[in-house]
Amino acid sequence: MFDGYTSSELMSIFAMQGFAGLSLFSVFVLMALGLAIIFGQMGVINMAHGEFMILGAYTTYLTSGFFQSYLPGLFGGYFFVAIVLAFLICAALGALIEWLMIRHLYHRPLDTLLATWGLSLIMQQAYRSIFGAREVGVELPEWMMGAFQVTDMVELPINGLFVMIIALSIAVGVYLLMYRSGYGKNVRAVVQNRPMAEAVGINSAGIDRATFALGCGIAGIAGAAFTMIGSTGPSSGQAYIVDTFLVVVFGGAQSLIGTIVSAFGISQAQSTMEFFLSGSMAKVLTLLVVVGILMLRPEGLMALKVRR
């Protein structure tokens, strides 16, 4: 398999594949953080999570077009505006969906799965009707073009580095929100013992709505980041939803740290194996390894101890 490669070439290959894995890790983290918050606290299997990501991507696409047409002098900073808009729009839609549909289906996981799957189909068709079936892409600002030359054979794209910075920033922000704020304390109280949390005055319904909105908003940010490294289509979210659920379950459904560790391991494994095998075979092998580990440790890598 390695015949014909020098040691320096092999090191360069693994370095490039490792960086490609980090770019995939960034998307996985942003997608899985929102899903872990929703699934971990509320037990809702949100099959439309990928469509919220694509809504964030289309928001970025429209913001890019608006700046190109009306504010060309500020085009270099459009992405920061797009991130804020993607979060707000997806969070607002998520809160509306929770109020209209999800709140009536709590403690009925199969019903929430079917309902959100139907929602995903509706959102996909809406995207096709509005934006067309073809994939669209955004034009990157000039400062995101190019790459850092590490060695003669290794280049690190600036846009990929920027996506990683976004992912790490959001991960730190979510950690501070969940573990260093009053809201996070209320969320953890509801997760650990919902009846007791309600007994001491915590509005669990409000916490659920805010949590669902937060998870959908983070998915919107993931969509904005996704436009930096790929094109967007009506069904692009479906390519990531299975891997995202895999990341959440493997890391531990109620563990943010486990989600990050799981995203890193799965993304690096897939990226490295895709160089030597086909993409589908790399996914199959990764899935088999994860399933094998879950058979030995069903609660995931870092399960949260919950009072019953």
Side-chain angles (χ1 to χ4, degrees):
M1 182 181 295
F2 300 107
D3 293 343
Y5 292 102
T6 65
S7 59
S8 60
E9 288 175 339
L10 284 174
M11 291 295 293
S12 299
I13 289 171
F14 279 110
M16 290 297 292
Q17 291 303 116
F19 182 78
L22 288 176
S23 298
L24 185 62
F25 160 74
S26 302
V27 177
F28 278 177
V29 163
L30 290 172
M31 282 283 286
L33 279 177
L35 196 62
I37 291 172
I38 294 172
F39 183 56
Q41 181 205 322
M42 303 163 64
V44 172
I45 304 173
N46 184 14
M47 294 300 293
H49 199 73
E51 279 59 50
F52 281 96
M53 182 189 90
I54 298 308
L55 178 59
Y58 276 126
T59 300
T60 305
Y61 169 71
L62 293 176
T63 305
S64 170
F66 177 83
F67 271 76
Q68 277 184 312
S69 300
Y70 301 103
L71 298 171
L74 300 176
F75 183 75
Y78 86 85
F79 187 70
F80 300 100
V81 178
I83 288 179
V84 176
L85 289 176
F87 176 82
L88 293 177
I89 291 173
C90 292
L93 180 60
L96 179 63
I97 294 298
E98 195 279 339
W99 180 73
L100 288 174
M101 182 174 69
I102 301 298
R103 68 189 178 103
H104 303 292
L105 302 175
Y106 288 136
H107 311 298
R108 294 157 62 184
L110 182 59
D111 290 346
T112 59
L113 186 150
L114 293 174
T116 55
W117 179 63
L119 175 64
S120 73
L121 296 179
I122 293 172
M123 294 178 72
Q124 286 182 44
Q125 189 56 48
Y127 297 151
R128 287 190 184 94
S129 300
I130 297 171
F131 299 101
R134 289 188 174 183
E135 293 188 346
V136 298
V138 302
E139 183 175 339
L140 298 179
E142 189 174 340
W143 60 272
M144 281 193 190
M145 301 291 190
F148 291 110
Q149 191 78 32
V150 180
T151 66
D152 292 338
M153 297 182 62
V154 178
E155 292 183 348
L156 302 182
I158 294 176
N159 60 333
L161 290 172
F162 186 67
V163 169
M164 282 190 284
I165 292 173
I166 293 173
L168 292 176
S169 300
I170 296 300
V172 171
V174 169
Y175 173 81
L176 295 176
L177 179 65
M178 300 302 290
Y179 294 97
R180 294 292 186 269
S181 71
Y183 166 78
K185 186 182 296 183
N186 290 342
V187 169
R188 286 182 285 121
V190 172
V191 170
Q192 293 182 15
N193 196 322
R194 183 179 291 265
M196 185 60 69
E198 293 173 345
V200 298
I202 296 176
N203 182 4
S204 63
I207 291 293
D208 286 339
R209 187 161 305 142
T211 300
F212 195 85
L214 175 63
C216 293
I218 294 175
I221 296 176
F226 177 72
T227 62
M228 299 293 102
I229 57 176
S231 56
T232 303
S235 58
S236 297
Q238 295 298 307
Y240 288 91
I241 189 65
V242 174
D243 288 332
T244 304
F245 271 109
L246 188 65
V247 166
V248 172
V249 173
F250 184 49
Q254 296 169 333
S255 172
L256 294 180
I257 302 299
T259 297
I260 295 173
V261 173
S262 172
F264 180 81
I266 290 176
S267 62
Q268 288 296 325
Q270 283 191 12
S271 177
T272 301
M273 286 191 292
E274 280 178 359
F275 180 78
F276 304 103
L277 305 170
S278 65
S280 57
M281 185 58 68
K283 285 183 177 293
V284 168
L285 290 178
T286 303
L287 177 62
L288 289 176
V289 172
V290 170
V291 169
I293 294 175
L294 288 176
M295 290 177 66
L296 300 175
R297 190 177 173 83
E299 67 274 15
L301 293 177
M302 300 180 181
L304 179 68
K305 293 183 179 179
V306 180
R307 294 179 182 176
R308 300 295 183 189

